[in-house]
Structure formats: structure tokens, C-alpha cells
């Protein structure tokens, strides 16, 4: 125990959770719970008694290409305004496709990929100095495209104190990501806690690249005093809990004064479903990774910044993937986000090597976060290549510092890739299947159980970037789940200290995907 009374520093908890929620050949064949469709959680959080602010619909589409957007420096002449904020929220989590069920009813697909299309990630805005919006704490409803007022007042100083980040006092606004436990646990049970960070991460990739396209500075914070942040949002930290904070800086916002008192807020919300089931493993994994005080957050931040490089290493034949052809114009991010969708079937057509190189480089860009110091990344990317022009089929480790693939083993591994991805054909039909792995023990010993959140969340962001990069160069992508220990074994010895965090498969879709579009205020909530 590093801080008196703390819970985070016994990393056995995260390790136990991880082991208990591994998929194996046997575990997926055990009798399941089955899905109770009559009790399916509603995919939107709806405030029944809060004041609503309609968000403007006429926002612009993010104009920069992905790489320019994600690597952009803060470069603004004005504060963030409400219309831009509306665009930022839309391109992060808005409705981009509406599916009509053959027997009636509609299903709403969103700007970011999410396990099972269950969309348990909610967005809140802590607004300080946004032109056209009073300072306050708001919840974003993508269905009606409104903000619900949680509380009025400028809470940036409070947010700064609870994240241990001084710069937060002069952000224009901060977006807070939360996860609604039951919405994903309904289908995925105990493993759903991993999905909090996977899906929060893919959403975050949209958010930070859209922010970059608007010329805003941003940083991803996963260290904060959980109970204080949950209290600020008016959520209980059990059925719904905060997972990340992303402050946004124009460089022109005022500096916040002292925050108002943070009294208790209680709003009525639409029930998710008739009854909710709480998964003890999820509650425990979350609770044991809480940081309990500003002092503990500050210590956690120090430990994160002094971590050394934890990337996997391997000596082997190196292969440099060329860059995009000269003069290639990449599409604007806004179009890419609307076009994005998870590929449902790959054609096995080979992709050009530069496209794989582009995806790998884009997903490996340095990220400004509170958990990556000198080490640059908590995840290493391993790959099975099965259909990339000029790249021998085989298994590889990606060296993000040199941009090279390091050969682990040459061979044809389509059937293995399919097997590793829970026997899903998508894994084997892909041109390349990427496995994001993290040296869990090293991460947990530095960052405690909170390191588990950080590793999973970083993997989520990088998978989100991989999706956007793939769609930027006209290929498809899909996240996939996996047999944990078999993945580690397959890439051993290079992966022997690693655990698989996430998988994303890349390739040419076997059909012509339909692009999405902007759907504003599309949902009539069943409010009684
Ligand atoms: C982390 C992650 C894991 C996923 N795992 C699978 C999977 O194992 N099998 C699958 O068919 N789709 C998988 N998906 C795709 C989701 O089902 C898909 O994102 C969701 O249905 C929403 O559709 P869209 O991505 O086309 O918008 C995964 C997506 C993510 C983000």
C-alpha cells in the first residue's frame, strides 16, 4: 500500500479480473446465460426532469485528414463555440446509420465502433468558457441531439484539482467519458468491464482527432479522484462510472476562478430495462482501481511519468513498409467517420503494403495522456499478415520507433488467425490481423490496478485510430475478440510477458459498404 487507506496498489485485483474473464476454447462452449431480449437495456441515457438545450445542427464537418488532425498542434484564434462543440460530440458519438428491423423498430449505429453495438459509453461536458453555452456540467444525448443540464456553474477548478492537472483551469471545456455497466454486461457479463475501455477508447479516437481538426489542444486523462468526478456528474460509480477526461484547449479561454460548492444532484433518468444485473467481478475490478484523493492522483501521475519503456522487442528480419504514393490526398476526417463501419466479411483480396504501413503508423502516433511518459505506449502491436502485397505471410512485431515490421515466423496462418479470434472467419479472411498486447505485470506494478484501465483504454484509442486510418485509405476494419492465452502463446517468445488487450482486423470488404450520414434528433425516446 503506497497511500494510507488506498485500494489501487494491490494489483492482484486487476490480474485476478483479467484471468477470470479470459476466453478459452472451453469457456465459450460452457452453457451461456442466453440473451434476454425482453430485458435488453435501452441504448440511450435519457434525463426525465433535466432542462434541455438543443444543440445546433449546422456544424461543419472536420476538414483535416486523419494524420493532420491527430498530430495537429493547438492553433486557434478564438474560443470553442457551441456549434463546434455540437460537431465534436456528433463526430465522436452521434448517430451515423439507422437500421430498420424487418419486423418494425429501428437500431441506431454510431460514429464509433462498440462491442455488440451496445454503446455503453456516455459523454458529459464540463463547460467553462464556451461561446454560446453557459458554464455548467451537461450530458450529451445523441438521440435527440440535446444537452441535459446536470448543474450550472464553472467547475473547471474542481476538475483541475481532482485530475491533478493545473492546465484544466484554462481549458474551454472538458469531455468526460463514462460507462453504463448493465448496458454492456447484458450481453457480455463479467468480460464487459474490458469493453468499458475498448469502446470508450474507440470513441476517444474520434474525439481527439475531431478536436485536432478544430485546432484544439487535448489531453487524455485516466487518473482522477473517482468518487469526486462521479459526484460532479451525478452518477453513482457503480451502475455508471467515469473512465476518462479529455480537456480541450483553444488557448483563448478565461482562467477559472474557484468552483461553486459541489452539492448532490439527483435527476430522474429513464430506466435501462425492467431489471438490471450487477456483475460482482465488474464492480470489484472498477472499485479496486479507484484513486481516493488528490494526493493519490498526484502520486499516480508521478509514477506514470517515470515509467520506462515497456514495449516488446525481438531481433529478426526487418521489413520497411513504404509510405503512401506521392501526391495522395487523404479524405477529410468528417467523411472518414461517416464512412466507417465494421467490416462484416473480408474478400481475401491482397492490400497494398503502404496501406498496412499507413494504418500501423497512424495507430502508433504519440498520444498526449497522463499515463504515457517516456515509454510512449503501454501496448505493442503484433500482427498476422496473410494478404499484403510484397510482405511474406507470417507473424510480425511492429516496431513503432522505426516503422518496421520485425518477422517472428514466416508461414501461412489464416486458420490460426481465425482460431485466435474466437474462431471467427473475419480474423482469418483479413489481410492483416493486429493484436495489441501489454506487459500487464510491469504496468500493474507501476500503476496499480489503474494501469489495467490505462492499458485497455490506450488499446481502445489505437484500435479506433486503426479503424479511421483503414477507412482513410479505402480498406475495411473490424474489432474482434480473442482467445487470450492462445494469442500470447502464438506470438511467444516475443510476447511471453504480454497479455492481449484488443484485436483489429484489416482487409478489403467482400461487398460495397454503404456510407453513413448525419442523423440529428432522430430518436423519439419512449418517455412516459
Ligand atoms: C473492441 C471491439 C471488438 C469487437 N469484436 C467483434 C467481434 O468479436 N466480432 C464481430 O463480428 N464484431 C466485433 N466488433 C464490431 C462491433 O460489433 C461493431 O462495432 C458494432 O456492431 C457497431 O457497428 P459499426 O462498427 O459497423 O458501427 C467489435 C468492435 C469493437 C470496437
Amino acid at each position: 500500500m503506497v497511500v494510507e487507506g488506498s485500494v489501487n496498489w494491490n494489483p492482484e485485483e486487476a490480474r485476478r479480473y483479467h484471468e477470470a474473464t479470459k476466453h478459452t476454447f472451453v469457456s465459450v462452449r460452457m452453457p451461456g446465460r442466453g440473451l434476454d431480449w425482453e430485458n435488453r437495456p435501452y441504448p440511450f441515457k435519457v434525463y426525465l426532469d433535466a432542462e434541455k438545450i438543443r444543440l445546433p445542427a449546422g456544424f461543419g464537418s472536420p476538414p483535416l485528414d486523419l494524420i493532420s488532425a491527430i498530430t495537429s498542434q493547438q492553433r486557434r484564434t478564438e474560443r470553442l463555440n457551441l456549434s463546434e462543440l455540437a460537431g465534436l460530440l456528433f463526430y465522436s458519438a452521434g448517430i451515423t446509420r439507422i437500421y430498420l428491423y424487418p419486423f418494425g423498430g429501428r437500431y441506431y449505429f454510431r460514429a464509433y465502433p462498440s462491442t455488440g453495438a451496445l454503446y455503453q459509453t456516455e459523454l458529459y461536458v464540463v463547460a467553462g468558457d464556451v461561446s454560446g453555452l453557459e458554464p455548467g456540467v451537461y450530458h450529451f444525448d445523441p438521440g435527440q441531439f440535446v444537452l441535459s443540464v446536470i448543474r450550472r456553474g464553472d467547475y473547471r477548478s474542481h476538475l483541475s484539482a481532482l485530475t491533478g492537472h493545473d492546465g484544466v483551469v484554462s481549458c474551454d471545456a472538458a469531455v468526460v467519458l463514462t460507462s453504463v455497466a448493465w448496458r454492456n454486461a447484458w450481453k457480455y457479463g463479467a468480460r464487459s468491464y474490458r469493453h468499458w475501455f475498448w469502446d470508450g477508447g474507440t470513441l476517444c479516437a474520434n474525439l481527439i482527432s475531431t478536436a485536432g481538426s478544430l485546432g484544439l489542444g487535448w489531453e487524455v486523462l485516466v487518473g482522477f479522484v473517482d468518487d469526486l468526478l462521479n459526484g460532479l456528474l451525478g452518477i453513482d460509480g457503480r451502475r455508471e462510472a467515469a473512465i476518462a477526461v479529455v480537456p480541450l484547449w483553444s488557448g483563448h479561454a478565461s482562467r477559472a476562478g474557484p468552483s461553486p460548492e459541489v452539492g448532490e444532484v439527483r435527476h430522474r433518468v429513464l430506466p435501462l430495462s425492467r431489471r438490471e444485473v450487477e456483475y460482482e467481478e465488474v464492480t470489484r475490478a472498477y472499485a479496486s482501481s479507484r484513486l481516493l484523493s488528490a494526493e493519490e492522483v498526484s502520486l499516480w501521475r508521478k509514477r506514470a511519468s517515470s515509467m520506462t519503456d515497456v514495449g516488446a522487442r525481438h531481433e529478426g528480419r526487418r521489413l520497411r513498409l513504404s509510405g503512401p504514393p506521392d501526391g495522395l490526398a487523404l479524405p477529410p476526417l468528417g467523411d472518414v467517420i461517416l464512412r466507417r463501419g465494421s467490416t462484416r466479411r473480408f474478400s481475401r483480396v491482397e492490400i497494398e503494403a503502404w496501406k498496412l504501413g499507413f494504418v500501423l503508423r497512424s495507430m502508433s502516433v504519440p498520444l498526449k495522456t497522463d499515463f504515457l511518459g517516456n515509454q510512449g505506449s503501454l501496448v505493442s502491436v503484433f500482427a498476422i499478415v496473410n494478404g499484403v502485397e510484397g510482405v511474406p505471410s507470417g507473424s510480425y512485431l511492429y516496431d513503432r520507433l522505426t516503422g518496421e515490421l520485425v518477422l517472428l515466423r514466416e508461414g501461412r496462418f489464416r486458420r490460426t488467425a481465425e482460431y485466435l479470434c474466437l474462431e471467427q472467419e473475419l480474423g482469418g479472411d483479413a489481410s492483416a490481423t493486429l493484436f495489441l498486447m501489454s506487459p500487464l505485470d510491469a504496468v500493474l506494478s507501476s500503476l496499480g490496478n489503474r494501469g489495467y484501465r490505462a492499458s485497455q483504454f490506450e488499446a481502445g484509442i489505437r484500435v479506433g485510430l486503426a479503424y479511421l486510418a483503414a477507412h482513410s485509405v479505402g480498406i475495411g476494419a473490424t474489432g474482434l475478440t480473442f482467445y487470450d492465452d492462445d494469442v500470447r502463446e502464438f506470438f511467444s517468445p516475443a510476447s511471453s510477458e504480454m497479455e492481449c488487450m484488443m484485436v483489429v482486423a484489416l482487409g478489403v470488404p467482400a461487398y460495397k459498404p454503404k456510407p453513413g450520414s448525419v442523423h440529428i434528433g432522430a430518436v423519439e425516446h419512449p418517455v412516459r
Side-chain angles (χ1 to χ4, degrees):
M1 188 167 65
V2 185
V3 175
E4 193 73 35
S6 62
V7 293
N8 179 55
W9 306 98
N10 171 14
E12 283 309 307
E13 288 289 345
R15 182 44 98 168
R16 185 180 311 136
Y17 169 80
H18 189 70
E19 293 299 326
T21 56
K22 283 181 169 176
H23 278 326
T24 66
F25 183 80
V26 174
S27 75
V28 301
R29 285 168 173 77
M30 300 296 271
R33 294 177 311 279
L35 290 181
D36 180 358
W37 288 95
E38 297 302 312
N39 197 38
R40 187 166 69 104
Y42 191 62
F44 299 98
K45 181 169 189 184
V46 184
Y47 283 83
L48 299 174
D49 59 2
E51 184 191 336
K52 309 272 164 130
I53 297 170
R54 192 153 293 286
L55 284 163
F59 49 81
S61 173
L64 297 187
D65 65 73
L66 173 66
I67 289 288
S68 310
I70 193 72
T71 56
S72 139
Q73 302 294 318
Q74 183 184 308
R75 44 168 178 82
R76 305 251 321 180
T77 53
E78 291 174 343
R79 289 180 296 159
L80 176 66
N81 66 49
L82 183 61
S83 173
E84 291 172 321
L85 178 64
L88 192 74
L89 294 170
F90 175 81
Y91 284 99
S92 300
I95 295 172
T96 52
R97 284 191 178 85
I98 301 178
Y99 176 80
L100 301 176
Y101 287 119
F103 305 108
R106 304 164 121 207
Y107 203 87
Y108 302 97
F109 286 85
R110 311 273 289 272
Y112 68 104
S114 177
T115 47
L118 293 168
Y119 306 114
Q120 71 281 0
T121 315
E122 296 287 337
L123 293 184
Y124 294 77
V125 178
V126 178
D129 196 4
V130 177
S131 162
L133 182 67
E134 292 284 307
V137 179
Y138 303 92
H139 168 263
F140 170 55
D141 171 4
Q144 298 209 313
F145 211 59
V146 296
L147 293 177
S148 302
V149 182
I150 307 297
R151 57 173 92 231
R152 297 263 185 205
D154 184 350
Y155 288 91
R156 287 176 296 167
S157 291
H158 183 59
L159 192 62
S160 165
L162 69 86
T163 54
H165 190 309
D166 295 341
V168 171
V169 292
S170 54
C171 69
D172 302 54
V175 178
V176 183
L177 288 76
T178 71
S179 200
V180 176
W182 169 236
R183 212 182 277 150
N184 198 272
W186 169 73
K187 179 169 182 185
Y188 295 106
R191 195 165 159 105
S192 62
Y193 178 64
R194 302 186 186 205
H195 301 184
W196 291 21
F197 309 101
W198 294 4
D199 302 334
T202 58
L203 188 159
C204 192
N206 283 15
L207 173 65
I208 58 182
S209 47
T210 304
S213 193
L214 287 168
L216 294 163
W218 53 265
E219 189 169 340
V220 178
L221 311 177
V222 304
F224 44 80
V225 184
D226 297 76
D227 295 353
L228 292 182
L229 183 53
N230 291 333
L232 179 66
L233 305 179
I235 58 177
D236 67 359
R238 197 164 179 132
R239 296 168 67 211
E240 180 179 359
I243 57 171
V245 181
V246 183
L248 304 165
W249 289 275
S250 67
H252 299 279
S254 62
R255 202 184 149 79
S259 293
E261 198 66 21
V262 186
E264 193 182 352
V265 284
R266 277 176 188 271
H267 288 291
R268 284 198 312 122
V269 295
L270 188 72
L272 280 180
S273 60
R274 278 204 312 274
R275 87 198 146 78
E276 297 184 21
V277 181
E278 183 172 329
Y279 284 82
E280 164 65 20
E281 299 91 329
V282 173
T283 307
R284 191 165 160 170
Y286 168 75
S288 63
S289 56
R290 282 171 310 140
L291 301 174
L292 302 182
S293 64
E295 180 201 4
E296 202 179 350
V297 170
S298 146
L299 174 87
W300 186 85
R301 288 171 62 90
K302 266 198 210 103
R303 292 186 65 134
S305 63
S306 61
M307 257 180 92
T308 49
D309 191 0
V310 293
R313 291 218 170 72
H314 185 77
E315 294 303 322
R317 206 167 95 213
R318 287 178 167 257
L319 215 132
R320 209 183 156 71
L321 301 167
S322 57
D326 283 347
L328 179 87
L330 293 165
L333 180 68
D335 292 359
V336 172
I337 291 178
L338 292 182
R339 209 179 287 164
R340 189 213 61 77
S342 297
T343 302
R344 299 293 81 197
R345 185 158 192 86
F346 288 114
S347 66
R348 292 200 175 195
V349 169
E350 285 199 335
I351 61 171
E352 292 105 311
W354 72 263
K355 292 186 176 173
L356 175 60
F358 180 81
V359 174
L360 287 167
R361 275 190 287 276
S362 305
M363 70 192 286
S364 306
V365 292
L367 294 172
K368 203 158 165 31
T369 70
D370 60 352
F371 58 92
L372 297 174
N374 302 328
Q375 77 277 21
S377 181
L378 301 180
V379 292
S380 295
V381 180
F382 290 77
I384 295 181
V385 171
N386 280 315
V388 180
E389 286 174 6
V391 180
S393 293
S395 61
Y396 293 87
L397 170 64
Y398 180 61
D399 182 340
R400 69 185 153 76
L401 300 178
T402 63
E404 293 165 322
L405 283 174
V406 184
L407 182 66
L408 302 175
R409 206 146 44 105
E410 212 168 318
R412 304 196 68 79
F413 295 122
R414 280 200 190 275
R415 289 190 59 189
T416 308
E418 175 177 323
Y419 173 79
L420 293 177
C421 298
L422 227 72
E423 302 165 63
Q424 298 179 88
E425 286 176 0
L426 285 160
D429 288 340
S431 301
T433 304
L434 311 180
F435 299 78
L436 287 76
M437 302 188 72
S438 194
L440 206 52
D441 287 338
V443 172
L444 298 182
S445 76
S446 289
L447 301 180
N449 297 315
R450 194 63 154 233
Y452 190 68
R453 295 195 201 177
S455 284
Q456 296 282 16
F457 197 70
E458 186 194 337
I461 297 174
R462 297 202 182 281
V463 165
L465 292 175
Y467 262 100
L468 296 177
H471 286 83
S472 294
V473 295
I475 60 172
T478 185
L480 289 173
T481 197
F482 46 87
Y483 287 137
D484 294 77
D485 287 344
D486 296 323
V487 171
R488 189 193 42 237
E489 206 160 299
F490 175 73
F491 291 107
S492 283
S495 63
S496 52
E497 303 297 317
M498 304 251 158
E499 292 289 340
C500 190
M501 299 286 110
M502 284 180 86
V503 173
V504 60
L506 310 169
V508 178
Y511 53 92
K512 192 167 182 325
K514 283 204 198 92
S517 53
V518 177
H519 295 278
I520 296 294
V523 184
E524 283 267 347
H525 295 309
V527 176
R528 287 167 286 274

